[in-house]
Amino acid sequence: MAPKAMTCQESSGNLLARFRQELSSADSLEIEAHLENCGACRAEEAGIAGLAELISSLPEVDPSAGSWSRMLMMIEESETVTPVRGNRGRLIALSAVLAAALAAGLLLILLPASPHTLTAGPGEITLNGAPVKPGSPIEFEDGAVIEAGRMALATLTLTRSISMVMEAGTRVRALPGGHLRLLSGRIFVEVDGSGDPIRFYAVGDTAVEVTGTAFDLIRNARDPAATVTVAEGTVRVFTGRTPVAVRKGQSFTFGPGQSSFAPSAVDPKRTADWCSTPTILLSRDGDLLRLTIRNDTVRPLAVKPFDPHLAAYSLLVEGQEIRLPVKIQERMVRSPVPADQEIRTLDPGAGYDLLLDPKSLGLQGGTYRIRAVYKPYPPLPAEVWHGPPLTTEALTLTVE
Amino acid sequence: MDRERDINLMLRVKDGDLAAFEALYARYSRPLTNFFHRLVWDRCFSEDLMQETFLRLWRGRKGYRPSGKFTTYMFQIARNHWLNERDKKNRRISPVSMDAGRDEESNGLKESLPARGNGPMTENLNRELGEKIAIAVEGLSEKLRLVFVLGQIQGMKYADIGDILGIPVGTVKSRMANAEKTIRGRLSSYLR
Ligand SMILES: [Zn+2]
């Protein structure tokens, strides 16, 4: 017996399924029979095909170039975040992933443009958990994690014109192509404007491109967003859409959970924060002059050694500048003062005294007004974070 | 057969084989990105969601049991991840209302929809059309939307969609028809 004729309602419910080839052949045949005699259902069928065509005209999206290498890094990151503070676990996990990557023939994160060389500045720096001697060049490969010590600022000289100060505990990772990603913490970057654009990857794909600029970049380990604050020049932030220009005195937060969609003016407190410099004092101590360098701030500071080559310390004697120490002599230095080449870290509250015998300055008899001057570290063009040279009040000195 | 191969790859991934993971990534990162793109209409965000899904896959590899298709397993993870992220009200999701009937002021879509075509003319046309489609899809309820979007990925079958979403095939069929009809209504001006 012939099947009971299908109603429009039954047909309509099955048209899409038929179009998507989800119907049994028996059901399909039934609908075809109905379609032959029903213009309304034929029109609906055409509509279904039309929509399918419309939607298939939407472009497909491809994962971006470098997608897999970022995937590898995400894996690595997820496996290296261990509750254990020690570097050992991190190193083992890191090398396990790298070994697996090598075994899989994925040289991607190891080979291009590596090893890179940077110069480690003052402050403790570890490379993949192993300590790096301050002042020495360090070599590292893509994927390496560079971390500033827990106690003090550390400086990395990236190129001749770019240096980066890392706040205590800050971690960065080397990416292929010589780029750096800020994993957590805060960096200060200064570029002297001689070219050398550089990119920091702050959150996932988001790149911060810098030229001729001073800026800082903060990223908390817990908060996936990052904030760039510009002290000088302009920083461009690439989030995959239109680049955002962040100008002097502005800050911009980006990344998942971002709080700003446009740059905003900087809180003046932030600028004050950049100006962390040691306190410098000049005073009398019997027949001697006492020069005091002291950290009255709340964060560790890098200070220069008493080295005449660095010209960090000097006395201004009525317009005449005398570098200190004039000569490094035991009798001149009356306190445990570092008179070597090492740049020191001063923890909050700590300080050095330098006792000077005025006779060693070689002044003729007479009365002088003397001020001490300290050029904060590092002596880079942008002075926002470091301030101009620090000068003490004048001290009157009479030489027989 | 694809199905066997995927399961074997995933079993190797379970033992920590990164090369096998890369093979799965090579094959499925694109469809997965497109799945998320049809939900969030933001290229970067959809890639993030795709990578986070793969990260979940990797981190949960030891619990993998080869029952059913690998793609079902993968899209289940993707769906769960999506529902989690959506609940977080992540601000990167384009600010289009989930309510039905919205069709104007779609700030997020204009810039995130990829352009298509060769000349500026077709580009503009496709852009406008793309926005309309995006808004129509966004306007669906979550239940309808997931069924509809999954249905656009690699010609996925009703049975597979049912497995991923944990609903009977009959429900998939009716939701799909419902979603399709709703969207067709909203895009009627583009359909002859
Ligand atoms: Zn009919």
Side-chain angles (χ1 to χ4, degrees), chain A residues 6-9 11-12 15 34-35 37-42 44:
Chain A
M6 198 176 228
T7 65
C8 277
Q9 199 182 357
S11 158
S12 171
L15 280 173
H34 176 89
L35 283 171
N37 301 311
C38 180
C41 284
R42 278 203 304 273
E44 182 161 11

Side-chain angles (χ1 to χ4, degrees), chain B residues 1-9 24 27-28 69-71 154:
Chain B
M1 185 181 156
D2 278 4
R3 184 178 168 154
E4 293 291 314
R5 191 172 50 177
D6 288 349
I7 288 173
N8 286 332
L9 284 171
L24 288 174
R27 180 173 307 174
Y28 292 114
K69 287 184 179 177
F70 166 74
T71 46
Q154 295 192 328

Side-chain angles (χ1 to χ4, degrees), chain B residues 43-127:
Chain B
R43 205 186 180 89
C44 289
F45 191 29
S46 53
E47 187 167 344
D48 284 352
L49 289 168
M50 177 275 288
Q51 290 194 314
E52 284 153 12
T53 300
F54 267 99
L55 188 65
R56 281 179 167 221
L57 199 72
W58 173 260
R59 298 188 75 167
R61 65 190 182 277
K62 297 210 170 90
Y64 174 71
R65 300 276 176 280
S67 62
K69 287 184 179 177
F70 166 74
T71 46
T72 301
Y73 177 69
M74 181 185 73
F75 274 105
Q76 278 171 345
I77 295 174
R79 164 193 173 264
N80 291 340
H81 186 52
W82 158 245
L83 292 178
N84 276 336
E85 287 303 300
R86 188 205 53 171
D87 290 346
K88 279 188 199 162
K89 292 202 167 34
N90 192 317
R91 294 195 197 182
R92 287 180 60 189
I93 298 176
S94 52
V96 171
S97 165
M98 300 252 198
D99 302 331
R102 278 218 39 185
D103 63 355
E104 71 288 312
E105 296 298 318
S106 57
N107 307 333
L109 297 175
K110 283 202 172 77
E111 45 182 315
S112 63
L113 274 172
R116 185 175 184 265
N118 302 320
M121 295 270 283
T122 52
E123 194 169 297
N124 286 341
L125 189 65
N126 278 294
R127 219 171 164 75

Side-chain angles (χ1 to χ4, degrees), chain A residues 87 90 124-132 138 145-149 166:
Chain A
N87 300 317
R90 195 200 331 261
E124 184 200 339
I125 285 179
T126 59
L127 174 64
N128 293 333
V132 175
I138 59 173
V145 173
I146 301 169
E147 184 167 355
M166 303 165 76

Side-chain angles (χ1 to χ4, degrees), chain A residues 280-338:
Chain A
I280 178 167
L281 298 166
L282 185 65
S283 57
R284 300 294 291 264
D285 187 342
D287 291 340
L288 302 173
L289 294 177
R290 179 194 293 271
L291 178 62
T292 303
I293 308 291
R294 200 174 59 211
N295 182 357
D296 291 333
T297 76
V298 294
R299 63 182 70 248
L301 295 174
V303 298
K304 287 182 171 184
F306 292 102
D307 180 337
H309 299 294
L310 289 178
Y313 304 88
S314 56
L315 293 183
L316 276 178
V317 185
E318 294 194 329
Q320 170 197 4
E321 186 175 9
I322 299 172
R323 287 181 182 185
L324 290 180
V326 178
K327 270 194 282 180
I328 299 176
Q329 292 172 354
E330 280 302 316
R331 63 180 183 84
M332 238 177 66
V333 178
R334 301 285 180 83
S335 60
V337 125

